[in-house]
Amino acid sequence: GFNADGSRYAASDGPYIRVWDASDGEAIASQLARPVALVLREDADSEQLVFLDRDRKVWQWNIDSSDPVEINELEGDSDLIFDFFRHPIISADGKRVVYMSVKEEASIYVWDLQSGRLLTQFPIDFRGTRSGRGYTISPDGKRIALLEGFHVQKIWDADTSTEIADLGQVPRSLHYPYRYVRLSSDGRNLVRATESTDADPNSPDSHIVVLSVATERVTFTHRSNDFRTFEFSGDGDRLAIAEGDRVVLFDLETGEKLSSLSVQQAGVDDMALDQTGDMLCAVSADDREVTLWDTRTSESLATFHTPHADVARVAISPNRDWIAAAASNGNLQVWNLMEVQEQLQKVGLDWKD
């Protein structure tokens, strides 16, 4: 992903880690590392990339001045824990890593990356959760949201190994239930999709619920027809919900609907908001198009065509200068929005920041 100011982008590419300069799209570093999880983080004096390899070794890489340095190896019996069917997740601050294991007893494991020490392990109900991909960790590594049992959403405290909240089931009609629980980047809020409470069991409606992680109280609800996915703004104050061929943006403090965007006929497969929620990019894998929107005016700013089928994820850099689209086959495409604006300006079609 992008670093804090959006100037660099890092991603795994098979057995390699590659880092690009977001100002010109040039590759600035490449390392054979066999990574399974990585994150860019800022230290007092430098920017570092922290990653975990398939041998459970933790590495720290000062991209500008040195080769990767092995910090430690994660505690535990790798034969009983890791199968790497699921990828470990490193917290945004680069201090903790979490892994859902079903190799022996289904459990969540959390390690301290600096020391390699196993901080906690607790069993979970894995029945019915075939993909095993439905878990995420808060930016500070202290809260874990996951799908247990038959698509039941729960929040766990990573420090005490205690269940904080049982949030109920995601809609059974959803094809990828692990997508439908998400923490805001600041760790304050969690959004989830629940089944409709209508008497009609075939009702297509879903209920979108936002909870405060601190108080466990519901702070926002929305009934959605033909729900597809959702996304927080970077500051966690706004929520975009894709339903059918529209994306609706809400202010989470007031509950006000801020805008409604008419998107691709094929619907939205993934989307991303900038820090304030003023800019949104959405992708439809069937259309092979990434569309950029101004949510303040509900206007489409630009449409980017990609040759890659099955584009699964999109992202906006924190400084709003770049957008990236990643396909499920590993292809990554990046666009320089400043260059796009300059080209559109020549024909009077650029947008205002």
Side-chain angles (χ1 to χ4, degrees), residues 282-337:
V283 63
S284 170
D286 291 340
D287 291 342
R288 299 191 182 191
E289 290 182 349
V290 178
T291 305
L292 187 67
W293 298 84
D294 185 332
T295 62
R296 296 164 297 186
T297 63
S298 300
E299 292 180 342
S300 171
L301 303 177
T303 298
F304 306 91
H305 297 275
T306 173
H308 306 303
D310 197 17
V311 175
R313 297 301 305 271
V314 289
I316 301 178
S317 66
N319 60 5
R320 304 204 312 182
D321 287 344
W322 296 83
I323 60 174
S328 59
N329 61 4
N331 286 308
L332 176 70
Q333 195 165 1
V334 181
W335 292 273
N336 184 328
L337 294 184

Side-chain angles (χ1 to χ4, degrees), residues 103-263:
K103 197 166 185 181
E104 291 291 327
E105 179 184 19
S107 298
I108 290 288
Y109 295 82
V110 181
W111 291 268
D112 176 83
L113 280 177
Q114 194 62 37
S115 65
R117 184 167 60 92
L118 180 62
L119 299 176
T120 186
Q121 169 193 354
F122 54 87
I124 58 171
D125 180 1
F126 192 67
R127 295 172 302 161
T129 312
R130 287 189 235 173
S131 69
R133 289 174 285 181
Y135 67 109
T136 188
I137 190 168
S138 62
D140 61 6
K142 295 184 177 180
R143 297 286 188 272
I144 299 169
L146 69 149
L147 292 170
E148 281 197 59
F150 294 93
H151 301 167
V152 176
Q153 301 166 103
K154 294 185 178 180
I155 304 176
W156 288 78
D157 187 310
D159 288 331
T160 62
S161 302
T162 56
E163 181 184 313
I164 297 175
D166 184 332
L167 308 177
Q169 287 191 338
V170 298
R172 291 177 185 143
S173 60
L174 300 179
H175 296 294
Y176 303 102
Y178 58 87
R179 289 184 182 176
Y180 305 109
V181 55
R182 192 161 301 175
L183 286 166
S184 59
S185 60
D186 58 11
R188 290 185 297 131
N189 295 313
L190 179 141
V191 62
R192 64 188 179 100
T194 64
E195 290 184 315
S196 172
T197 56
D198 287 348
D200 179 4
N202 297 315
S203 170
D205 289 356
S206 303
H207 290 282
I208 312 304
V209 180
V210 176
L211 299 97
S212 165
V213 173
T215 64
E216 303 173 32
R217 293 183 177 178
V218 174
T219 59
F220 171 85
T221 61
H222 172 70
R223 179 166 173 161
S224 176
N225 183 271
D226 196 13
F227 167 69
R228 298 182 68 89
T229 188
F230 41 47
E231 188 61 68
F232 284 109
S233 59
D235 57 17
D237 292 336
R238 296 180 177 183
L239 180 71
I241 301 173
E243 44 191 15
D245 61 356
R246 305 195 70 80
V247 172
V248 186
L249 183 70
F250 293 92
D251 184 309
L252 291 180
E253 183 176 351
T254 65
E256 177 187 2
K257 182 168 74 172
L258 300 176
S259 59
S260 179
L261 314 176
S262 179
V263 294

Side-chain angles (χ1 to χ4, degrees), residues 14-70:
Y16 291 90
I17 295 177
R18 304 196 192 278
V19 183
W20 292 268
D21 185 329
S23 63
D24 55 19
E26 292 294 324
I28 59 176
S30 179
Q31 186 72 38
L32 179 63
R34 300 172 67 226
V36 293
L38 58 86
V39 67
L40 281 166
R41 72 176 184 187
E42 299 282 346
D43 280 356
D45 302 321
S46 65
E47 182 176 72
Q48 297 179 336
L49 191 147
V50 178
F51 65 91
L52 177 69
D53 69 16
R54 294 188 68 86
D55 296 321
R56 297 182 297 117
K57 293 179 180 179
V58 182
W59 299 77
Q60 187 169 286
W61 183 16
N62 187 328
I63 300 167
D64 295 318
S65 61
S66 66
D67 292 328
V69 176
E70 182 182 338

